[in-house]
Amino acid sequence: MNFSNNNSNLINSSIARLADFTRLKVTYVEEKGKEEDGIVQLERAGKITTLKAKVKSVLLLSHLPQLLKLRERFPGYIVIAGRISHKVAKTLQELRVNYLDSGGNAFIETKELFLLIEGKKIGTLIDRQHLFTNASIQLLYQLMVRPSLMKKPYRAIASETGASLDNISKSIRTLQENGYITKLKKGGYAFLNKERLLERWIAEYGERLKPKLLIGTFRFLKDDLWRNIELDRSKTQWSGEPAVDKALGQLRPQFFTLYTIENKQDLIQKYRLIPDAQGSIFVYQAFWDLANFHTTDCVPDLLIYTDLLLSGSARNAEAAKNLLDARKETILQSI
């Protein structure tokens, strides 16, 4: 079976293994649409189950809002991916999103059929080339939050972000080579397909940089009074669950994320936080100038969205989708 896109090996491997494990007749028909790549048909005892399909080389937590939108539009669909981590697979199961990977691991739930296949070795190896260093991940965050920076000379960008001229030059060149930005006639750059770039940035940030920023875990002296804590917003800001609750009022936080430039003693004395290895408050070192990039006690929407997705929580994935729906122009602004 041939496909016009470059995912033919991935699709062939996935449906072949699923057929082997289930003894179902499994076929894939390419049928490009605005939101789907094809159709998967599962036949058993003469009965056919049809699912619209979306194909991803690697499925990331950052893809969840897109998949949730597909779930709203289509009563039955499936995402086919070369590699799906255990964490992502469990989140997809909680969200009732059908999936299939190149090793034949699958979760499929329809009115006619239920399949859950786990623990199979991945058949297709995915090249996950890292585009960015930790330094450029930090720079890119600031450029995505304030795209107007890219219209400025490199020295001005360096002054406002704290990045080195070498890092700025290499990052801009890498972004351009990979089709993430375009040069403007009047000078400077603008983002192209920022949604695709953000998906990649979230994965890179979550795997490479964020774990290194963790200062520690804490608990509140009084859990029910977190909203009354007056943060020094130029030094400490909310992200994740409390931030989206402040923005949309739709989520009662269970876990709390803070970014800060304050030390542990300041956090204990000023905000009455108690160090606790099992605590629900995760405090991270801020890697940008908080005062320069925001004016509230919450980090920019782009980072709130990112932290919600990186939590791996199904309810947080729903909250991230709602935040993107409400503030898409802010999160995905290109200029």
Side-chain angles (χ1 to χ4, degrees), residues 138-233:
Q138 296 176 58
L139 170 63
L140 181 54
Y141 166 73
Q142 298 183 74
L143 296 179
M144 288 193 295
V145 170
R146 292 176 58 196
S148 60
L149 283 172
M150 292 196 297
K151 292 183 178 181
K152 299 184 177 184
Y154 285 3
R155 289 192 180 279
I157 297 175
S159 175
E160 295 195 41
T161 65
S164 70
L165 291 173
D166 182 61
N167 180 24
I168 294 169
S169 176
K170 289 180 178 178
S171 297
I172 292 292
R173 184 173 65 249
T174 301
L175 289 169
Q176 192 171 19
E177 289 173 350
N178 285 275
Y180 290 128
I181 61 175
T182 184
K183 194 171 182 63
L184 300 173
K185 291 182 179 180
K186 294 183 179 181
Y189 299 86
F191 285 109
L192 291 174
N193 195 354
K194 191 176 179 182
E195 187 169 4
R196 181 169 62 91
L197 173 60
L198 179 57
E199 288 175 353
R200 185 60 184 272
W201 182 86
I202 291 172
E204 298 287 353
Y205 173 67
E207 292 183 10
R208 304 186 65 174
L209 181 59
K210 186 177 180 180
K212 298 177 182 179
L213 300 174
L214 183 64
I215 294 173
T217 55
F218 298 77
R219 60 180 170 84
F220 294 113
L221 187 62
K222 292 185 177 180
D223 289 350
D224 59 338
L225 298 179
W226 72 270
R227 280 183 170 274
N228 296 334
I229 296 175
E230 294 187 13
L231 300 178
D232 182 344
R233 63 183 58 178

Side-chain angles (χ1 to χ4, degrees), residues 57-122:
S57 58
V58 178
L59 192 61
L60 307 172
L61 288 169
S62 52
H63 292 133
L64 291 178
Q66 179 187 13
L67 301 183
L68 290 175
K69 287 183 179 181
L70 284 172
R71 186 185 66 181
E72 290 178 354
R73 287 185 55 81
F74 304 115
Y77 85 96
I78 188 169
V79 58
I80 303 174
R83 187 175 294 275
I84 303 175
S85 71
H86 178 74
K87 182 177 183 179
V88 174
K90 289 301 180 185
T91 303
L92 291 174
Q93 291 173 27
E94 289 182 43
L95 293 169
R96 323 313 293 179
V97 173
N98 300 318
Y99 66 80
L100 169 66
D101 71 19
S102 60
N105 298 290
F107 171 81
I108 300 174
E109 184 179 41
T110 70
K111 292 181 180 180
E112 305 86 13
L113 185 67
F114 177 82
L115 293 173
L116 177 60
I117 302 172
E118 298 179 307
K120 302 300 182 181
K121 186 176 179 180
I122 300 298

